PDB file of all heavy atoms in Angstrom:
ATOM      1  N   ILE A  12      -8.732 -16.991  24.683  1.00 98.00           N
ATOM      2  CA  ILE A  12      -9.950 -17.803  24.864  1.00 98.00           C
ATOM      3  C   ILE A  12     -10.547 -17.556  26.253  1.00 98.00           C
ATOM      4  O   ILE A  12     -11.771 -17.410  26.393  1.00 98.00           O
ATOM      5  CB  ILE A  12      -9.626 -19.308  24.651  1.00 98.00           C
ATOM      6  CG1 ILE A  12      -9.352 -19.578  23.161  1.00 98.00           C
ATOM      7  CG2 ILE A  12     -10.760 -20.202  25.172  1.00 98.00           C
ATOM      8  CD1 ILE A  12      -8.777 -20.961  22.864  1.00 98.00           C
ATOM      9  N   ALA A  13      -9.682 -17.446  27.267  1.00 98.00           N
ATOM     10  CA  ALA A  13     -10.172 -17.159  28.623  1.00 98.00           C
ATOM     11  C   ALA A  13     -10.891 -15.805  28.648  1.00 98.00           C
ATOM     12  O   ALA A  13     -11.948 -15.663  29.287  1.00 98.00           O
ATOM     13  CB  ALA A  13      -9.011 -17.173  29.620  1.00 98.00           C
ATOM     14  N   ALA A  14     -10.341 -14.825  27.936  1.00 98.00           N
ATOM     15  CA  ALA A  14     -10.989 -13.502  27.861  1.00 98.00           C
ATOM     16  C   ALA A  14     -12.342 -13.613  27.149  1.00 98.00           C
ATOM     17  O   ALA A  14     -13.332 -13.003  27.567  1.00 98.00           O
ATOM     18  CB  ALA A  14     -10.082 -12.508  27.140  1.00 98.00           C
ATOM     19  N   ALA A  15     -12.386 -14.412  26.084  1.00 98.00           N
ATOM     20  CA  ALA A  15     -13.642 -14.600  25.336  1.00 98.00           C
ATOM     21  C   ALA A  15     -14.708 -15.231  26.236  1.00 98.00           C
ATOM     22  O   ALA A  15     -15.888 -14.846  26.183  1.00 98.00           O
ATOM     23  CB  ALA A  15     -13.395 -15.483  24.119  1.00 98.00           C
ATOM     24  N   LYS A  16     -14.294 -16.173  27.087  1.00 97.00           N
ATOM     25  CA  LYS A  16     -15.256 -16.819  27.996  1.00 97.00           C
ATOM     26  C   LYS A  16     -15.828 -15.816  28.989  1.00 97.00           C
ATOM     27  O   LYS A  16     -17.001 -15.886  29.345  1.00 97.00           O
ATOM     28  CB  LYS A  16     -14.580 -17.985  28.729  1.00 97.00           C
ATOM     29  CG  LYS A  16     -14.376 -19.202  27.833  1.00 97.00           C
ATOM     30  CD  LYS A  16     -13.709 -20.351  28.571  1.00 97.00           C
ATOM     31  CE  LYS A  16     -13.540 -21.552  27.626  1.00 97.00           C
ATOM     32  NZ  LYS A  16     -12.674 -22.594  28.202  1.00 97.00           N
ATOM     33  N   ARG A  17     -15.004 -14.860  29.406  1.00 96.00           N
ATOM     34  CA  ARG A  17     -15.507 -13.808  30.305  1.00 96.00           C
ATOM     35  C   ARG A  17     -16.560 -12.961  29.588  1.00 96.00           C
ATOM     36  O   ARG A  17     -17.540 -12.523  30.196  1.00 96.00           O
ATOM     37  CB  ARG A  17     -14.353 -12.933  30.819  1.00 96.00           C
ATOM     38  CG  ARG A  17     -13.431 -13.666  31.799  1.00 96.00           C
ATOM     39  CD  ARG A  17     -12.510 -12.714  32.543  1.00 96.00           C
ATOM     40  NE  ARG A  17     -11.459 -12.129  31.728  1.00 96.00           N
ATOM     41  CZ  ARG A  17     -10.290 -12.716  31.442  1.00 96.00           C
ATOM     42  NH1 ARG A  17     -10.020 -13.923  31.910  1.00 96.00           N
ATOM     43  NH2 ARG A  17      -9.392 -12.099  30.709  1.00 96.00           N
ATOM     44  N   ALA A  18     -16.357 -12.726  28.292  1.00 95.00           N
ATOM     45  CA  ALA A  18     -17.346 -11.965  27.508  1.00 95.00           C
ATOM     46  C   ALA A  18     -18.679 -12.699  27.492  1.00 95.00           C
ATOM     47  O   ALA A  18     -19.737 -12.094  27.708  1.00 95.00           O
ATOM     48  CB  ALA A  18     -16.842 -11.760  26.078  1.00 95.00           C
ATOM     49  N   ALA A  19     -18.630 -14.023  27.265  1.00 92.00           N
ATOM     50  CA  ALA A  19     -19.873 -14.813  27.183  1.00 92.00           C
ATOM     51  C   ALA A  19     -20.668 -14.708  28.478  1.00 92.00           C
ATOM     52  O   ALA A  19     -21.899 -14.621  28.453  1.00 92.00           O
ATOM     53  CB  ALA A  19     -19.541 -16.266  26.865  1.00 92.00           C
ATOM     54  N   LYS A  20     -19.963 -14.678  29.612  1.00 91.00           N
ATOM     55  CA  LYS A  20     -20.648 -14.567  30.912  1.00 91.00           C
ATOM     56  C   LYS A  20     -21.395 -13.243  31.051  1.00 91.00           C
ATOM     57  O   LYS A  20     -22.333 -13.124  31.821  1.00 91.00           O
ATOM     58  CB  LYS A  20     -19.632 -14.708  32.053  1.00 91.00           C
ATOM     59  CG  LYS A  20     -19.276 -16.168  32.318  1.00 91.00           C
ATOM     60  CD  LYS A  20     -18.410 -16.304  33.557  1.00 91.00           C
ATOM     61  CE  LYS A  20     -17.908 -17.739  33.664  1.00 91.00           C
ATOM     62  NZ  LYS A  20     -16.787 -17.867  34.580  1.00 91.00           N
ATOM     63  N   CYS A  21     -20.928 -12.216  30.332  1.00 91.00           N
ATOM     64  CA  CYS A  21     -21.591 -10.896  30.361  1.00 91.00           C
ATOM     65  C   CYS A  21     -22.545 -10.748  29.180  1.00 91.00           C
ATOM     66  O   CYS A  21     -22.910  -9.636  28.815  1.00 91.00           O
ATOM     67  CB  CYS A  21     -20.559  -9.785  30.323  1.00 91.00           C
ATOM     68  SG  CYS A  21     -19.359  -9.873  31.637  1.00 91.00           S
ATOM     69  N   ASP A  22     -22.899 -11.879  28.559  1.00 92.00           N
ATOM     70  CA  ASP A  22     -23.823 -11.869  27.433  1.00 92.00           C
ATOM     71  C   ASP A  22     -23.308 -11.074  26.235  1.00 92.00           C
ATOM     72  O   ASP A  22     -24.064 -10.428  25.517  1.00 92.00           O
ATOM     73  CB  ASP A  22     -25.200 -11.350  27.886  1.00 92.00           C
ATOM     74  CG  ASP A  22     -26.319 -12.054  27.126  1.00 92.00           C
ATOM     75  OD1 ASP A  22     -26.072 -13.137  26.566  1.00 92.00           O
ATOM     76  OD2 ASP A  22     -27.433 -11.513  27.071  1.00 92.00           O
ATOM     77  N   GLU A  23     -21.996 -11.142  26.058  1.00 96.00           N
ATOM     78  CA  GLU A  23     -21.370 -10.549  24.873  1.00 96.00           C
ATOM     79  C   GLU A  23     -20.969 -11.700  23.946  1.00 96.00           C
ATOM     80  O   GLU A  23     -20.603 -12.780  24.422  1.00 96.00           O
ATOM     81  CB  GLU A  23     -20.069  -9.815  25.245  1.00 96.00           C
ATOM     82  CG  GLU A  23     -20.197  -8.665  26.205  1.00 96.00           C
ATOM     83  CD  GLU A  23     -20.555  -7.358  25.512  1.00 96.00           C
ATOM     84  OE1 GLU A  23     -20.761  -7.341  24.284  1.00 96.00           O
ATOM     85  OE2 GLU A  23     -20.652  -6.350  26.226  1.00 96.00           O
ATOM     86  N   VAL A  24     -20.969 -11.467  22.640  1.00 97.00           N
ATOM     87  CA  VAL A  24     -20.432 -12.470  21.713  1.00 97.00           C
ATOM     88  C   VAL A  24     -18.992 -12.767  22.148  1.00 97.00           C
ATOM     89  O   VAL A  24     -18.185 -11.848  22.315  1.00 97.00           O
ATOM     90  CB  VAL A  24     -20.491 -11.960  20.253  1.00 97.00           C
ATOM     91  CG1 VAL A  24     -19.790 -12.929  19.315  1.00 97.00           C
ATOM     92  CG2 VAL A  24     -21.931 -11.751  19.824  1.00 97.00           C
ATOM     93  N   PRO A  25     -18.672 -14.063  22.402  1.00 97.00           N
ATOM     94  CA  PRO A  25     -17.384 -14.394  23.011  1.00 97.00           C
ATOM     95  C   PRO A  25     -16.191 -14.315  22.063  1.00 97.00           C
ATOM     96  O   PRO A  25     -15.864 -15.276  21.371  1.00 97.00           O
ATOM     97  CB  PRO A  25     -17.591 -15.823  23.522  1.00 97.00           C
ATOM     98  CG  PRO A  25     -18.656 -16.387  22.655  1.00 97.00           C
ATOM     99  CD  PRO A  25     -19.528 -15.248  22.243  1.00 97.00           C
ATOM    100  N   VAL A  26     -15.579 -13.150  22.048  1.00 98.00           N
ATOM    101  CA  VAL A  26     -14.332 -12.944  21.316  1.00 98.00           C
ATOM    102  C   VAL A  26     -13.348 -12.306  22.299  1.00 98.00           C
ATOM    103  O   VAL A  26     -13.712 -11.372  23.028  1.00 98.00           O
ATOM    104  CB  VAL A  26     -14.526 -12.030  20.089  1.00 98.00           C
ATOM    105  CG1 VAL A  26     -13.206 -11.846  19.345  1.00 98.00           C
ATOM    106  CG2 VAL A  26     -15.592 -12.598  19.148  1.00 98.00           C
ATOM    107  N   GLY A  27     -12.138 -12.815  22.317  1.00 98.00           N
ATOM    108  CA  GLY A  27     -11.111 -12.284  23.215  1.00 98.00           C
ATOM    109  C   GLY A  27      -9.827 -12.016  22.461  1.00 98.00           C
ATOM    110  O   GLY A  27      -9.582 -12.610  21.398  1.00 98.00           O
TER     111      GLY A  27
END
Side-chain angles (χ1 to χ4, degrees):
Chain A
I12 289 169
K16 285 180 179 169
R17 290 194 289 277
K20 280 187 188 163
C21 303
D22 214 19
E23 299 275 3
V24 173
V26 180

